[in-house]
Amino acid sequence: MSSVKSHEAEGQAQEVESRQIAVMQKRLRELTFLHETSRTLAGTLDLDGVLHSLLAQVQVYFEVEATSVALLDEEAGELVFRVAVGEAAEEVTGLRMSSELGIAGWVARSGEPLLVPKVCADGRFYAGVDESTGFETRVILAVPIKAQDRTIGVIEAINPVDGVFDKDAQRLLLSVADLAAVAIQNAKLYERARQAERRYENLFNEGSNPVVVLYLDGKILDVNRRTVEIVGRPRDQMIGETLSDLLGISNEACHEAIRQVLGGRSPVSEVKLQSGEDVRTLETHMVKIDYGGREAIQWLGYDVSERVALENMRAELTRMIVHDLRNPLGSIMGSLQLIHTAFVEHDETLPITKLLGVAMRSGQKLYLLIDSLLDLGRLEAGETELSKVSVNVDALVQEAAEQIQPLALSRRQELATHVAPGVNEVCADRDLILRVLTNLLDNAVKFTHRNGHIILGVERMKDEVLFTVTDDGIGIPPEYRQRIFERFARLGNADGVKGTGLGLAFCKLAVEAHGGRIWVESEVDESSQFKFTLPLGDR
Ligand code: ADP
């Protein structure tokens, strides 16, 4: 009896043990399946590839006739069968179905899994797909694919070969859907990044402007087709060179531009680039970009050669016209002088005396304007040959002051000069700098009240000589302190004061042609200080 009992107990224990082993084996198979699935999903970033591998594994593991993944197209309100595996795979792939229809539609809308053991008995089943493919759906297990709590698609496993699904199938397919969701999101992100990359590649290669991608140290990482065409050298030769090699600009200028880009600015400049026989003018723009996951700098050159050539032609034409005005004006002035000598000099009381005076003064003004415009044009075009000599600063300052003194006296102003000890000579074009000084002094007199004070001072500053014209006149508001150096810039304060608006533009060009700088400091209604420097070293 006892041996029968112990036999029974033994049998029961063995049964429990083998059931436990079976459960463990099943768990192990499930884990292996999920592990394999996640490895497959992580192994590729191509969306169709991802889904295809996923479904192939689901079909084998669940032993079903067909599987599919439909993704939700929210805008269209449709489910799109992106990938299918099984008998009617080809016909199903690409099918679109309203997300209001069928088991898949129900799962997509509710976000809940659904096991339908007998589809023909379920009102939610939509037979349209079977009708168009010829496939017969009997049993469906459908689960939602969710990303960030939103349903993005549905996985369906159809017709298990045993006729029914295992009770754990739903839980397992939901785990697969979770893995699939991450993989789908990654694949979509990757696809989007690839599209952006392809768009950039197209712009880069097919664009009509030269584009150069640089490492942060200024070395060339890539150049586009247009750059190769313009420079006329093979791409491989340019890669590894520096931007300064390519453009023939200084390393310092290049690094400064890169520093600006890294500091968040987008520097714009103009460079000349030798292209075969031609020289092209490029307006260059630099920005920081992400180039295949690494920080890089994109240099882009807009070819503005045509615009520059047109501007040069226009400037040349203007100069010719201005120049040609000088001759007829010369004849008019000569004739006026003759009339003056013939009639007025003998009889100052003649009625035409006044008129003649007006005509001659106006003619003189026109002369001044024409000469200023011609000077400016020549300086701008870099055509003015500076005849630099060693200039005695003291003598230069005295001469400028003497020229303006009568004007200052007529307005009862005090004009003083002060040359600091140690300033002896400067290397400059004497005539040009004398005209700069007289222009500044002339302005100081014009824009200072009667009884005002004007000082022309000179001092040494490291390797430069600093000239300062100070007045206690009406001053210049901060917003105009740059603009007054442009051609024809005259402020409201110049109303009723004679002038052309060209004096300061001339001063700026003349000083810069010497390698110096010019600027103004001012207190409105109190004073103005026009300052310019000339380098000492250049002899
Ligand atoms: P112009 O003197 O012939 O008008 P400029 O180019 O010499 O032309 O000067 C441009 C403008 O700058 C002047 O019209 C005036 O508005 C302003 N300006 C120049 N110098 C002074 C100054 N010393 N004080 C105040 N305003 C000045």
Side-chain angles (χ1 to χ4, degrees):
M1 189 66 179
S2 66
S3 78
V4 174
K5 260 193 176 164
S6 71
H7 248 91
E8 253 176 39
E10 212 174 283
Q12 274 169 1
Q14 266 177 4
E15 217 172 278
V16 169
E17 199 177 309
S18 56
R19 238 184 287 134
Q20 276 174 346
I21 289 174
V23 169
M24 271 165 63
Q25 276 176 340
K26 192 166 176 228
R27 285 278 168 274
L28 196 67
R29 272 184 56 226
E30 279 181 21
L31 283 174
T32 314
F33 166 65
L34 287 175
H35 177 68
E36 284 298 313
T37 310
S38 69
R39 264 188 39 193
T40 317
L41 295 183
T44 171
L45 280 168
D46 154 55
L47 186 53
D48 288 334
V50 163
L51 298 179
H52 211 274
S53 317
L54 171 92
L55 292 187
Q57 259 155 327
V58 168
Q59 190 190 26
V60 171
Y61 184 84
F62 287 89
E63 295 180 70
V64 285
E65 284 177 14
T67 58
S68 65
V69 167
L71 295 182
L72 198 58
D73 177 346
E74 277 186 64
E75 259 176 46
E78 287 178 333
L79 277 165
V80 186
F81 286 88
R82 181 79 188 231
V83 176
V85 167
E87 269 176 42
E90 243 176 69
E91 293 87 334
V92 171
T93 307
L95 261 181
R96 285 180 162 266
M97 182 179 95
S98 160
S99 55
E100 298 295 319
L101 292 175
I103 308 280
W106 185 89
V107 171
R109 287 194 313 279
S110 67
E112 295 295 327
L114 186 63
L115 173 62
V116 185
K118 225 169 156 189
V119 293
C120 54
D122 195 303
R124 287 168 291 197
F125 179 65
Y126 168 67
V129 178
D130 278 5
E131 279 161 17
S132 67
T133 61
F135 183 80
E136 192 205 344
T137 305
R138 296 182 299 279
V139 185
I140 288 189
L141 172 59
V143 298
I145 305 173
K146 288 185 175 182
Q148 277 126 27
D149 279 342
R150 280 179 48 230
T151 303
I152 57 169
V154 177
I155 302 185
E156 285 186 321
I158 300 170
N159 300 350
V161 283
D162 293 351
V164 285
F165 277 105
D166 180 287
K167 65 177 170 43
D168 293 322
Q170 182 168 309
R171 178 180 50 77
L172 198 59
L173 199 59
L174 274 170
S175 302
V176 172
D178 283 346
L179 290 173
V182 177
I184 290 170
Q185 293 298 80
N186 285 347
K188 277 188 179 164
L189 281 178
Y190 175 73
E191 188 48 35
R192 239 176 272 158
R194 276 292 302 148
Q195 274 171 4
E197 218 169 86
R198 273 196 289 269
R199 267 201 303 274
Y200 179 78
E201 271 169 21
N202 275 345
L203 282 175
F204 183 75
N205 280 319
E206 304 312 321
S208 53
N209 293 306
V211 183
V212 177
V213 181
L214 302 166
Y215 290 106
L216 299 189
D217 65 358
K219 287 228 172 73
I220 297 175
L221 196 139
D222 206 354
V223 299
N224 72 343
R225 190 182 45 75
R226 186 71 186 124
T227 310
V228 172
E229 277 170 14
I230 289 193
V231 177
R233 284 199 287 134
R235 175 176 171 273
D236 292 350
Q237 224 180 59
M238 287 184 258
I239 286 170
E241 285 185 351
T242 61
L243 185 65
S244 50
D245 293 334
L246 186 74
L247 303 177
I249 55 170
S250 77
N251 248 327
E252 195 26 60
C254 201
H255 286 302
E256 175 51 32
I258 291 175
R259 262 195 297 278
Q260 287 190 22
V261 175
L262 297 181
R265 275 170 288 160
S266 313
V268 178
S269 61
E270 224 172 75
V271 295
K272 305 260 180 242
L273 191 66
Q274 190 71 39
S275 169
E277 302 279 279
D278 296 344
V279 175
R280 320 262 349 149
T281 309
L282 303 175
E283 185 184 285
T284 74
H285 297 248
M286 285 167 93
V287 284
K288 198 162 87 178
I289 56 164
D290 181 307
Y291 192 74
R294 76 150 41 116
E295 272 195 335
I297 291 176
Q298 175 187 274
W299 175 96
L300 179 116
Y302 289 110
D303 194 338
V304 291
S305 310
E306 254 104 80
R307 194 192 75 199
V308 170
L310 211 70
E311 275 167 12
N312 287 345
M313 250 169 66
R314 212 176 45 200
E316 180 60 24
L317 197 71
T318 314
R319 262 195 298 152
M320 268 165 52
I321 293 171
V322 172
H323 184 264
D324 290 351
L325 283 176
R326 226 175 173 279
N327 292 340
L329 183 63
S331 312
I332 296 171
M333 290 297 280
S335 310
L336 288 175
Q337 191 59 51
L338 273 178
I339 299 171
H340 189 267
T341 321
F343 302 102
V344 180
E345 261 179 23
H346 306 296
D347 187 355
E348 295 268 325
T349 59
L350 280 176
I352 59 160
T353 307
K354 226 173 152 191
L355 288 176
L356 212 51
V358 171
M360 286 175 79
R361 275 196 301 280
S362 301
Q364 212 54 51
K365 260 205 250 166
L366 254 180
Y367 252 139
L368 201 74
L369 181 62
I370 290 173
D371 284 346
S372 304
L373 280 170
L374 286 175
D375 275 342
L376 279 179
R378 276 196 286 267
L379 277 168
E380 267 171 355
E383 281 172 7
T384 307
E385 279 272 325
L386 297 186
S387 29
K388 284 193 185 175
V389 288
S390 191
V391 179
N392 180 301
V393 175
D394 210 27
L396 179 78
V397 163
Q398 292 320 319
E399 190 174 337
E402 271 163 30
Q403 282 192 22
I404 303 299
Q405 197 61 266
L407 202 65
L409 282 177
S410 73
R411 293 174 59 79
R412 296 182 186 281
Q413 292 164 339
E414 193 181 299
L415 169 55
T417 60
H418 180 258
V419 178
V423 182
N424 302 314
E425 302 202 317
V426 67
C427 179
D429 184 314
R430 197 176 191 282
D431 274 357
L432 276 188
I433 299 304
L434 181 64
R435 279 167 62 198
V436 171
L437 288 174
T438 52
N439 259 304
L440 295 179
L441 288 172
D442 185 57
N443 278 349
V445 170
K446 286 193 302 189
F447 300 107
T448 299
H449 313 284
R450 291 173 79 82
N451 303 316
H453 301 83
I454 292 147
I455 307 169
L456 165 55
V458 190
E459 61 193 287
R460 174 97 183 250
M461 247 184 37
K462 287 192 196 152
D463 299 337
E464 294 175 316
V465 178
L466 173 70
F467 292 79
T468 309
V469 175
T470 309
D471 65 53
D472 53 0
I474 56 180
I476 299 161
E479 62 273 28
Y480 298 117
R481 288 180 200 157
Q482 292 272 348
R483 242 189 57 200
I484 50 171
F485 292 99
E486 290 168 15
R487 282 163 171 241
F488 300 115
R490 304 199 77 212
L491 312 186
N493 66 13
D495 287 350
V497 180
K498 286 182 185 146
T500 56
L502 293 173
L504 290 177
F506 164 81
C507 293
K508 184 172 182 331
L509 286 171
V511 168
E512 286 176 355
H514 280 80
R517 291 166 293 125
I518 185 165
W519 70 101
V520 64
E521 293 164 14
S522 179
E523 275 299 320
V524 176
D525 290 333
E526 294 215 345
S527 68
S528 296
Q529 279 199 312
F530 279 86
K531 299 188 174 192
F532 73 91
T533 60
L534 292 182
L536 259 182
D538 186 16
R539 272 161 200 272

